[in-house]
Amino acid sequence: MSLVLRHKPEKIGLKLDAAGWANVDALLSAMQQYGVPITADQLAKIVDTDDKSRYQFSPDGKRIRASQGHSVAVDLGYQPEKPPGVLYHGTATRFIESIRKTGLQKRDRHHVHLSVSTEVAETVGKRYGEPVILIIDAAGMHRDDHVFYRSENNVWLTEEVPVRYISFPSKG
Ligand code: HQG
């Protein structure tokens, strides 16, 4: 689901609109044609039970999209918001040397992803190796005119995090 709604909709012949929405019926028939049939009920269950609420239906239930994390060009329509004073970014020890030089970069995604809890940051960091939690001075960034967005599933998004706003743990 993440692959087709965020990265490669063309893999199953699906089209997303400019805001990342796919028509639910089109998704179901594309999955069927791709050889992985799922029912509307199963799709609803995936959306409901996803551990990070990655997906959302439109209010009328006819469309579906990922709430963040895309690599395809989409404009999710989130409005700039004032972030909490401190946010966290979970990464892996092997990236620390590079992050110390260039700050946090968005890489293949549209934004750098920041979380409100250290628990989430730790889980995110573990995907890439020995986790490290970086503490981000979001208040300072906001004061200095860095723009933040908050996704539907409470991930904070920003263009980049320059080194001066990052606190590294002493062992990193
Ligand atoms: C690292 C998952 C070296 C960055 C998660 C991260 C999140 C640098 C990796 C969401 C760097 C990029 C996003 C630099 C950043 N030098 N490494 N200058 N700047 N990095 O996956 O934040 O399951 O694109 O620290 O839960 O790990 O997809 O970003 O380790 O919410 O819903 O480069 O993806 O959510 O990795 O994860 P990613 P992320 P989903």
mmCIF file of all heavy atoms in Angstrom, residues 2 6-7 50 52 54 68-69 89-92 94-109 111-114 120 123-125 127-128 134 153 155, ligand 1:
data_model
loop_
_atom_site.group_PDB
_atom_site.id
_atom_site.type_symbol
_atom_site.label_atom_id
_atom_site.label_comp_id
_atom_site.label_asym_id
_atom_site.label_seq_id
_atom_site.Cartn_x
_atom_site.Cartn_y
_atom_site.Cartn_z
ATOM 1 N N SER A 2 1.918 1.220 0.839
ATOM 2 C CA SER A 2 2.839 2.352 0.897
ATOM 3 C C SER A 2 3.518 2.536 -0.470
ATOM 4 O O SER A 2 3.664 3.648 -0.969
ATOM 5 C CB SER A 2 3.866 2.089 1.993
ATOM 6 O OG SER A 2 4.898 3.017 1.922
ATOM 7 N N ARG A 6 2.551 5.999 -2.212
ATOM 8 C CA ARG A 6 3.581 7.008 -1.973
ATOM 9 C C ARG A 6 4.656 7.057 -3.043
ATOM 10 O O ARG A 6 5.270 8.100 -3.252
ATOM 11 C CB ARG A 6 4.323 6.703 -0.674
ATOM 12 C CG ARG A 6 3.553 6.952 0.563
ATOM 13 C CD ARG A 6 4.354 6.378 1.692
ATOM 14 N NE ARG A 6 3.931 6.857 2.975
ATOM 15 C CZ ARG A 6 4.472 6.425 4.109
ATOM 16 N NH1 ARG A 6 5.427 5.535 4.081
ATOM 17 N NH2 ARG A 6 4.046 6.896 5.255
ATOM 18 N N HIS A 7 4.934 5.894 -3.623
ATOM 19 C CA HIS A 7 6.160 5.846 -4.424
ATOM 20 C C HIS A 7 5.955 5.456 -5.888
ATOM 21 O O HIS A 7 6.445 6.142 -6.775
ATOM 22 C CB HIS A 7 7.169 4.893 -3.773
ATOM 23 C CG HIS A 7 7.438 5.199 -2.329
ATOM 24 N ND1 HIS A 7 7.980 6.387 -1.922
ATOM 25 C CD2 HIS A 7 7.196 4.487 -1.196
ATOM 26 C CE1 HIS A 7 8.091 6.394 -0.588
ATOM 27 N NE2 HIS A 7 7.615 5.256 -0.124
ATOM 28 N N ASP A 50 -3.655 0.400 10.585
ATOM 29 C CA ASP A 50 -2.251 0.694 10.317
ATOM 30 C C ASP A 50 -1.594 1.269 11.579
ATOM 31 O O ASP A 50 -2.148 2.174 12.209
ATOM 32 C CB ASP A 50 -2.113 1.689 9.160
ATOM 33 C CG ASP A 50 -0.657 1.944 8.829
ATOM 34 O OD1 ASP A 50 -0.051 1.094 8.168
ATOM 35 O OD2 ASP A 50 -0.119 2.971 9.278
ATOM 36 N N LYS A 52 0.710 3.243 12.166
ATOM 37 C CA LYS A 52 1.028 4.671 12.236
ATOM 38 C C LYS A 52 0.003 5.533 11.513
ATOM 39 O O LYS A 52 0.306 6.676 11.156
ATOM 40 C CB LYS A 52 2.422 4.917 11.673
ATOM 41 C CG LYS A 52 3.481 4.544 12.717
ATOM 42 C CD LYS A 52 4.789 4.168 12.127
ATOM 43 C CE LYS A 52 5.597 5.291 11.644
ATOM 44 N NZ LYS A 52 6.793 4.830 10.925
ATOM 45 N N ARG A 54 -1.033 5.620 8.515
ATOM 46 C CA ARG A 54 -0.384 6.180 7.328
ATOM 47 C C ARG A 54 -1.366 6.613 6.245
ATOM 48 O O ARG A 54 -1.035 7.411 5.395
ATOM 49 C CB ARG A 54 0.534 5.128 6.710
ATOM 50 C CG ARG A 54 1.780 4.822 7.519
ATOM 51 C CD ARG A 54 2.601 3.763 6.792
ATOM 52 N NE ARG A 54 3.783 3.382 7.519
ATOM 53 C CZ ARG A 54 3.800 2.481 8.489
ATOM 54 N NH1 ARG A 54 2.693 1.882 8.864
ATOM 55 N NH2 ARG A 54 4.928 2.184 9.091
ATOM 56 N N GLN A 68 1.487 11.131 4.462
ATOM 57 C CA GLN A 68 2.824 11.731 4.282
ATOM 58 C C GLN A 68 3.756 10.653 3.765
ATOM 59 O O GLN A 68 3.342 9.514 3.598
ATOM 60 C CB GLN A 68 3.362 12.358 5.574
ATOM 61 C CG GLN A 68 3.070 11.647 6.875
ATOM 62 C CD GLN A 68 3.825 10.366 7.129
ATOM 63 O OE1 GLN A 68 3.247 9.365 7.541
ATOM 64 N NE2 GLN A 68 5.124 10.372 6.865
ATOM 65 N N GLY A 69 4.997 11.033 3.540
ATOM 66 C CA GLY A 69 6.026 10.040 3.202
ATOM 67 C C GLY A 69 6.190 9.760 1.725
ATOM 68 O O GLY A 69 6.855 8.807 1.348
ATOM 69 N N HIS A 89 14.249 13.544 16.066
ATOM 70 C CA HIS A 89 14.487 12.812 14.819
ATOM 71 C C HIS A 89 15.294 11.569 15.149
ATOM 72 O O HIS A 89 16.380 11.659 15.725
ATOM 73 C CB HIS A 89 15.260 13.684 13.821
ATOM 74 C CG HIS A 89 15.572 12.968 12.539
ATOM 75 N ND1 HIS A 89 14.677 12.890 11.493
ATOM 76 C CD2 HIS A 89 16.663 12.268 12.136
ATOM 77 C CE1 HIS A 89 15.210 12.179 10.504
ATOM 78 N NE2 HIS A 89 16.421 11.794 10.871
ATOM 79 N N GLY A 90 14.751 10.424 14.782
ATOM 80 C CA GLY A 90 15.463 9.165 15.013
ATOM 81 C C GLY A 90 16.262 8.801 13.785
ATOM 82 O O GLY A 90 15.746 8.799 12.673
ATOM 83 N N THR A 91 17.543 8.539 13.989
ATOM 84 C CA THR A 91 18.379 8.121 12.869
ATOM 85 C C THR A 91 19.291 7.004 13.360
ATOM 86 O O THR A 91 19.077 6.454 14.440
ATOM 87 C CB THR A 91 19.145 9.326 12.279
ATOM 88 O OG1 THR A 91 19.796 8.925 11.072
ATOM 89 C CG2 THR A 91 20.137 9.922 13.257
ATOM 90 N N ALA A 92 20.295 6.637 12.555
ATOM 91 C CA ALA A 92 21.190 5.550 12.944
ATOM 92 C C ALA A 92 22.597 6.109 13.125
ATOM 93 O O ALA A 92 22.983 7.088 12.469
ATOM 94 C CB ALA A 92 21.181 4.467 11.875
ATOM 95 N N ARG A 94 25.372 5.289 12.048
ATOM 96 C CA ARG A 94 26.231 5.407 10.863
ATOM 97 C C ARG A 94 25.993 6.685 10.057
ATOM 98 O O ARG A 94 26.807 7.049 9.220
ATOM 99 C CB ARG A 94 26.084 4.174 9.969
ATOM 100 C CG ARG A 94 24.702 3.956 9.403
ATOM 101 C CD ARG A 94 24.587 2.519 8.866
ATOM 102 N NE ARG A 94 23.209 2.168 8.594
ATOM 103 C CZ ARG A 94 22.672 2.216 7.382
ATOM 104 N NH1 ARG A 94 23.382 2.597 6.355
ATOM 105 N NH2 ARG A 94 21.404 1.876 7.219
ATOM 106 N N PHE A 95 24.861 7.368 10.297
ATOM 107 C CA PHE A 95 24.599 8.603 9.545
ATOM 108 C C PHE A 95 25.088 9.858 10.281
ATOM 109 O O PHE A 95 25.074 10.963 9.729
ATOM 110 C CB PHE A 95 23.101 8.775 9.297
ATOM 111 C CG PHE A 95 22.480 7.702 8.447
ATOM 112 C CD1 PHE A 95 21.183 7.254 8.696
ATOM 113 C CD2 PHE A 95 23.176 7.143 7.379
ATOM 114 C CE1 PHE A 95 20.599 6.268 7.912
ATOM 115 C CE2 PHE A 95 22.595 6.157 6.580
ATOM 116 C CZ PHE A 95 21.306 5.719 6.855
ATOM 117 N N ILE A 96 25.502 9.683 11.549
ATOM 118 C CA ILE A 96 25.758 10.853 12.385
ATOM 119 C C ILE A 96 26.874 11.753 11.849
ATOM 120 O O ILE A 96 26.740 12.975 11.813
ATOM 121 C CB ILE A 96 26.073 10.417 13.843
ATOM 122 C CG1 ILE A 96 24.808 9.856 14.480
ATOM 123 C CG2 ILE A 96 26.606 11.575 14.670
ATOM 124 C CD1 ILE A 96 23.673 10.860 14.610
ATOM 125 N N GLU A 97 27.949 11.125 11.376
ATOM 126 C CA GLU A 97 29.079 11.933 10.915
ATOM 127 C C GLU A 97 28.638 12.869 9.784
ATOM 128 O O GLU A 97 28.959 14.062 9.768
ATOM 129 C CB GLU A 97 30.186 10.995 10.435
ATOM 130 C CG GLU A 97 31.511 11.694 10.311
ATOM 131 C CD GLU A 97 32.575 10.747 9.764
ATOM 132 O OE1 GLU A 97 32.515 9.530 10.091
ATOM 133 O OE2 GLU A 97 33.433 11.237 9.007
ATOM 134 N N SER A 98 27.864 12.306 8.861
ATOM 135 C CA SER A 98 27.382 13.104 7.730
ATOM 136 C C SER A 98 26.387 14.174 8.183
ATOM 137 O O SER A 98 26.420 15.320 7.717
ATOM 138 C CB SER A 98 26.771 12.137 6.714
ATOM 139 O OG SER A 98 25.971 12.815 5.810
ATOM 140 N N ILE A 99 25.498 13.816 9.124
ATOM 141 C CA ILE A 99 24.506 14.791 9.613
ATOM 142 C C ILE A 99 25.207 15.947 10.329
ATOM 143 O O ILE A 99 24.799 17.103 10.209
ATOM 144 C CB ILE A 99 23.466 14.101 10.529
ATOM 145 C CG1 ILE A 99 22.617 13.107 9.711
ATOM 146 C CG2 ILE A 99 22.554 15.138 11.200
ATOM 147 C CD1 ILE A 99 21.705 12.213 10.549
ATOM 148 N N ARG A 100 26.298 15.644 11.024
ATOM 149 C CA ARG A 100 27.058 16.715 11.698
ATOM 150 C C ARG A 100 27.604 17.716 10.693
ATOM 151 O O ARG A 100 27.806 18.889 11.004
ATOM 152 C CB ARG A 100 28.246 16.120 12.480
ATOM 153 C CG ARG A 100 27.891 15.575 13.837
ATOM 154 C CD ARG A 100 29.177 15.171 14.552
ATOM 155 N NE ARG A 100 28.905 14.413 15.755
ATOM 156 C CZ ARG A 100 28.579 14.947 16.924
ATOM 157 N NH1 ARG A 100 28.495 16.262 17.052
ATOM 158 N NH2 ARG A 100 28.346 14.176 17.968
ATOM 159 N N LYS A 101 27.860 17.253 9.493
ATOM 160 C CA LYS A 101 28.411 18.158 8.466
ATOM 161 C C LYS A 101 27.330 18.963 7.759
ATOM 162 O O LYS A 101 27.485 20.158 7.539
ATOM 163 C CB LYS A 101 29.167 17.342 7.405
ATOM 164 C CG LYS A 101 30.476 16.800 7.913
ATOM 165 C CD LYS A 101 31.258 16.146 6.772
ATOM 166 C CE LYS A 101 32.412 15.331 7.323
ATOM 167 N NZ LYS A 101 32.512 14.001 6.710
ATOM 168 N N THR A 102 26.228 18.289 7.397
ATOM 169 C CA THR A 102 25.263 18.958 6.500
ATOM 170 C C THR A 102 23.896 19.173 7.134
ATOM 171 O O THR A 102 22.994 19.701 6.488
ATOM 172 C CB THR A 102 25.053 18.130 5.215
ATOM 173 O OG1 THR A 102 24.521 16.860 5.589
ATOM 174 C CG2 THR A 102 26.347 17.930 4.459
ATOM 175 N N GLY A 103 23.717 18.758 8.383
ATOM 176 C CA GLY A 103 22.384 18.844 8.978
ATOM 177 C C GLY A 103 21.496 17.745 8.423
ATOM 178 O O GLY A 103 21.961 16.872 7.682
ATOM 179 N N LEU A 104 20.211 17.777 8.767
ATOM 180 C CA LEU A 104 19.280 16.755 8.281
ATOM 181 C C LEU A 104 18.741 17.163 6.915
ATOM 182 O O LEU A 104 18.211 18.273 6.751
ATOM 183 C CB LEU A 104 18.115 16.582 9.260
ATOM 184 C CG LEU A 104 18.451 15.868 10.563
ATOM 185 C CD1 LEU A 104 17.289 15.996 11.545
ATOM 186 C CD2 LEU A 104 18.777 14.401 10.301
ATOM 187 N N GLN A 105 18.889 16.272 5.969
ATOM 188 C CA GLN A 105 18.405 16.500 4.604
ATOM 189 C C GLN A 105 17.230 15.581 4.325
ATOM 190 O O GLN A 105 17.146 14.492 4.885
ATOM 191 C CB GLN A 105 19.530 16.183 3.599
ATOM 192 C CG GLN A 105 20.825 16.934 3.861
ATOM 193 C CD GLN A 105 20.710 18.408 3.536
ATOM 194 O OE1 GLN A 105 19.928 18.788 2.671
ATOM 195 N NE2 GLN A 105 21.476 19.232 4.241
ATOM 196 N N LYS A 106 16.373 15.990 3.382
ATOM 197 C CA LYS A 106 15.152 15.196 3.147
ATOM 198 C C LYS A 106 15.389 13.963 2.294
ATOM 199 O O LYS A 106 14.527 13.098 2.213
ATOM 200 C CB LYS A 106 14.068 16.073 2.549
ATOM 201 C CG LYS A 106 14.482 16.801 1.303
ATOM 202 C CD LYS A 106 13.428 17.828 0.953
ATOM 203 C CE LYS A 106 13.879 18.645 -0.237
ATOM 204 N NZ LYS A 106 12.867 19.536 -0.737
ATOM 205 N N ARG A 107 16.558 13.880 1.665
ATOM 206 C CA ARG A 107 16.853 12.694 0.865
ATOM 207 C C ARG A 107 15.783 12.436 -0.188
ATOM 208 O O ARG A 107 15.393 13.348 -0.869
ATOM 209 C CB ARG A 107 17.018 11.487 1.792
ATOM 210 C CG ARG A 107 18.119 11.677 2.831
ATOM 211 C CD ARG A 107 19.376 11.293 2.149
ATOM 212 N NE ARG A 107 20.572 11.700 2.800
ATOM 213 C CZ ARG A 107 21.529 10.845 3.099
ATOM 214 N NH1 ARG A 107 21.360 9.561 2.929
ATOM 215 N NH2 ARG A 107 22.663 11.313 3.571
ATOM 216 N N ASP A 108 15.242 11.210 -0.247
ATOM 217 C CA ASP A 108 14.279 10.879 -1.306
ATOM 218 C C ASP A 108 12.868 11.389 -1.026
ATOM 219 O O ASP A 108 11.996 11.293 -1.871
ATOM 220 C CB ASP A 108 14.184 9.355 -1.481
ATOM 221 C CG ASP A 108 15.495 8.798 -1.994
ATOM 222 O OD1 ASP A 108 16.269 9.573 -2.593
ATOM 223 O OD2 ASP A 108 15.736 7.605 -1.788
ATOM 224 N N ARG A 109 12.619 11.868 0.190
ATOM 225 C CA ARG A 109 11.250 12.287 0.520
ATOM 226 C C ARG A 109 11.082 13.778 0.247
ATOM 227 O O ARG A 109 12.017 14.465 -0.145
ATOM 228 C CB ARG A 109 10.958 11.971 1.976
ATOM 229 C CG ARG A 109 11.225 10.496 2.284
ATOM 230 C CD ARG A 109 10.506 10.054 3.504
ATOM 231 N NE ARG A 109 10.978 8.747 3.905
ATOM 232 C CZ ARG A 109 10.172 7.700 4.148
ATOM 233 N NH1 ARG A 109 8.877 7.818 4.053
ATOM 234 N NH2 ARG A 109 10.682 6.537 4.518
ATOM 235 N N HIS A 111 10.187 15.944 2.650
ATOM 236 C CA HIS A 111 10.518 16.703 3.850
ATOM 237 C C HIS A 111 11.383 15.858 4.776
ATOM 238 O O HIS A 111 11.416 14.638 4.653
ATOM 239 C CB HIS A 111 9.234 17.057 4.632
ATOM 240 C CG HIS A 111 8.302 17.948 3.892
ATOM 241 N ND1 HIS A 111 7.204 17.464 3.217
ATOM 242 C CD2 HIS A 111 8.300 19.290 3.716
ATOM 243 C CE1 HIS A 111 6.566 18.481 2.657
ATOM 244 N NE2 HIS A 111 7.210 19.601 2.940
ATOM 245 N N VAL A 112 12.009 16.542 5.730
ATOM 246 C CA VAL A 112 12.602 15.848 6.868
ATOM 247 C C VAL A 112 11.450 15.552 7.830
ATOM 248 O O VAL A 112 10.590 16.415 8.058
ATOM 249 C CB VAL A 112 13.662 16.741 7.555
ATOM 250 C CG1 VAL A 112 14.125 16.107 8.860
ATOM 251 C CG2 VAL A 112 14.843 16.983 6.621
ATOM 252 N N HIS A 113 11.415 14.340 8.364
ATOM 253 C CA HIS A 113 10.327 13.925 9.255
ATOM 254 C C HIS A 113 10.770 14.013 10.716
ATOM 255 O O HIS A 113 11.819 13.485 11.072
ATOM 256 C CB HIS A 113 9.932 12.473 8.967
ATOM 257 C CG HIS A 113 9.234 12.285 7.657
ATOM 258 N ND1 HIS A 113 8.131 11.483 7.519
ATOM 259 C CD2 HIS A 113 9.473 12.815 6.436
ATOM 260 C CE1 HIS A 113 7.719 11.522 6.259
ATOM 261 N NE2 HIS A 113 8.524 12.306 5.572
ATOM 262 N N LEU A 114 9.960 14.683 11.527
ATOM 263 C CA LEU A 114 10.277 14.858 12.949
ATOM 264 C C LEU A 114 9.093 14.375 13.781
ATOM 265 O O LEU A 114 7.942 14.472 13.343
ATOM 266 C CB LEU A 114 10.555 16.335 13.238
ATOM 267 C CG LEU A 114 11.679 16.969 12.399
ATOM 268 C CD1 LEU A 114 11.719 18.477 12.611
ATOM 269 C CD2 LEU A 114 13.024 16.348 12.719
ATOM 270 N N VAL A 120 8.766 7.235 19.263
ATOM 271 C CA VAL A 120 8.610 7.134 17.805
ATOM 272 C C VAL A 120 9.963 7.319 17.133
ATOM 273 O O VAL A 120 10.340 6.575 16.225
ATOM 274 C CB VAL A 120 7.597 8.181 17.280
ATOM 275 C CG1 VAL A 120 7.624 8.241 15.757
ATOM 276 C CG2 VAL A 120 6.192 7.861 17.767
ATOM 277 N N THR A 123 12.013 4.169 17.214
ATOM 278 C CA THR A 123 11.534 3.156 16.267
ATOM 279 C C THR A 123 11.961 3.509 14.841
ATOM 280 O O THR A 123 12.395 2.655 14.070
ATOM 281 C CB THR A 123 9.984 3.080 16.320
ATOM 282 O OG1 THR A 123 9.602 2.955 17.675
ATOM 283 C CG2 THR A 123 9.464 1.908 15.533
ATOM 284 N N VAL A 124 11.841 4.792 14.502
ATOM 285 C CA VAL A 124 12.227 5.249 13.153
ATOM 286 C C VAL A 124 13.726 5.005 12.932
ATOM 287 O O VAL A 124 14.143 4.498 11.890
ATOM 288 C CB VAL A 124 11.886 6.749 12.983
ATOM 289 C CG1 VAL A 124 12.480 7.302 11.693
ATOM 290 C CG2 VAL A 124 10.374 6.965 12.991
ATOM 291 N N GLY A 125 14.535 5.351 13.931
ATOM 292 C CA GLY A 125 15.989 5.201 13.809
ATOM 293 C C GLY A 125 16.418 3.757 13.662
ATOM 294 O O GLY A 125 17.335 3.434 12.893
ATOM 295 N N ARG A 127 15.180 1.433 12.077
ATOM 296 C CA ARG A 127 15.045 0.876 10.730
ATOM 297 C C ARG A 127 16.378 0.862 10.009
ATOM 298 O O ARG A 127 16.563 0.135 9.040
ATOM 299 C CB ARG A 127 14.035 1.697 9.910
ATOM 300 C CG ARG A 127 12.622 1.503 10.363
ATOM 301 C CD ARG A 127 11.745 2.725 10.107
ATOM 302 N NE ARG A 127 11.723 3.228 8.754
ATOM 303 C CZ ARG A 127 12.158 4.435 8.391
ATOM 304 N NH1 ARG A 127 12.670 5.269 9.270
ATOM 305 N NH2 ARG A 127 12.073 4.817 7.151
ATOM 306 N N TYR A 128 17.303 1.721 10.438
ATOM 307 C CA TYR A 128 18.561 1.834 9.693
ATOM 308 C C TYR A 128 19.786 1.354 10.465
ATOM 309 O O TYR A 128 20.887 1.438 9.962
ATOM 310 C CB TYR A 128 18.761 3.294 9.259
ATOM 311 C CG TYR A 128 17.755 3.735 8.220
ATOM 312 C CD1 TYR A 128 16.806 4.702 8.508
ATOM 313 C CD2 TYR A 128 17.764 3.159 6.959
ATOM 314 C CE1 TYR A 128 15.891 5.105 7.547
ATOM 315 C CE2 TYR A 128 16.842 3.547 5.996
ATOM 316 C CZ TYR A 128 15.918 4.520 6.291
ATOM 317 O OH TYR A 128 15.011 4.908 5.337
ATOM 318 N N LEU A 134 18.044 12.443 17.885
ATOM 319 C CA LEU A 134 18.522 13.822 17.823
ATOM 320 C C LEU A 134 17.427 14.736 18.349
ATOM 321 O O LEU A 134 16.246 14.535 18.069
ATOM 322 C CB LEU A 134 18.861 14.199 16.377
ATOM 323 C CG LEU A 134 19.844 13.255 15.677
ATOM 324 C CD1 LEU A 134 20.085 13.710 14.240
ATOM 325 C CD2 LEU A 134 21.161 13.187 16.442
ATOM 326 N N ASN A 153 -1.302 12.406 10.462
ATOM 327 C CA ASN A 153 -0.927 11.434 11.499
ATOM 328 C C ASN A 153 0.183 11.948 12.425
ATOM 329 O O ASN A 153 0.949 11.181 12.996
ATOM 330 C CB ASN A 153 -0.569 10.076 10.872
ATOM 331 C CG ASN A 153 0.568 10.181 9.875
ATOM 332 O OD1 ASN A 153 0.907 11.257 9.401
ATOM 333 N ND2 ASN A 153 1.183 9.063 9.561
ATOM 334 N N VAL A 155 2.986 13.690 12.172
ATOM 335 C CA VAL A 155 4.412 13.763 11.884
ATOM 336 C C VAL A 155 4.679 15.213 11.507
ATOM 337 O O VAL A 155 3.915 15.821 10.751
ATOM 338 C CB VAL A 155 4.785 12.838 10.695
ATOM 339 C CG1 VAL A 155 6.254 13.008 10.316
ATOM 340 C CG2 VAL A 155 4.491 11.381 11.035
HETATM 341 C C1 HQG B 1 19.112 10.223 7.271
HETATM 342 C C2 HQG B 1 8.797 6.153 8.236
HETATM 343 C C3 HQG B 1 23.223 11.229 6.354
HETATM 344 C C4 HQG B 1 17.901 10.332 8.155
HETATM 345 C C5 HQG B 1 9.278 6.658 9.547
HETATM 346 C C6 HQG B 1 17.237 8.993 7.890
HETATM 347 C C7 HQG B 1 9.214 8.153 9.404
HETATM 348 C C8 HQG B 1 21.015 11.654 6.698
HETATM 349 C C9 HQG B 1 17.576 8.735 6.431
HETATM 350 C C10 HQG B 1 9.335 8.366 7.918
HETATM 351 C C11 HQG B 1 21.223 13.025 6.493
HETATM 352 C C12 HQG B 1 16.431 9.021 5.508
HETATM 353 C C13 HQG B 1 10.620 9.041 7.574
HETATM 354 C C14 HQG B 1 22.537 13.466 6.201
HETATM 355 C C15 HQG B 1 19.153 12.737 6.927
HETATM 356 N N1 HQG B 1 23.507 12.539 6.153
HETATM 357 N N2 HQG B 1 22.004 10.759 6.628
HETATM 358 N N3 HQG B 1 22.823 14.740 5.987
HETATM 359 N N4 HQG B 1 20.048 13.668 6.632
HETATM 360 N N5 HQG B 1 19.724 11.506 6.969
HETATM 361 O O1 HQG B 1 13.343 6.861 5.547
HETATM 362 O O2 HQG B 1 13.115 10.150 8.807
HETATM 363 O O3 HQG B 1 6.927 3.814 7.901
HETATM 364 O O4 HQG B 1 13.763 8.933 4.132
HETATM 365 O O5 HQG B 1 18.277 10.490 9.505
HETATM 366 O O6 HQG B 1 8.513 6.182 10.590
HETATM 367 O O7 HQG B 1 14.029 7.761 8.617
HETATM 368 O O8 HQG B 1 7.260 5.275 5.928
HETATM 369 O O9 HQG B 1 13.471 9.183 6.577
HETATM 370 O O10 HQG B 1 17.783 7.995 8.695
HETATM 371 O O11 HQG B 1 8.048 8.723 9.861
HETATM 372 O O12 HQG B 1 5.302 5.641 7.428
HETATM 373 O O13 HQG B 1 18.635 9.627 6.093
HETATM 374 O O14 HQG B 1 9.297 7.078 7.332
HETATM 375 O O15 HQG B 1 7.435 6.166 8.205
HETATM 376 O O16 HQG B 1 15.489 7.994 5.681
HETATM 377 O O17 HQG B 1 11.711 8.248 8.044
HETATM 378 P P1 HQG B 1 13.963 8.198 5.402
HETATM 379 P P2 HQG B 1 13.155 8.845 8.115
HETATM 380 P P3 HQG B 1 6.681 5.141 7.297
#
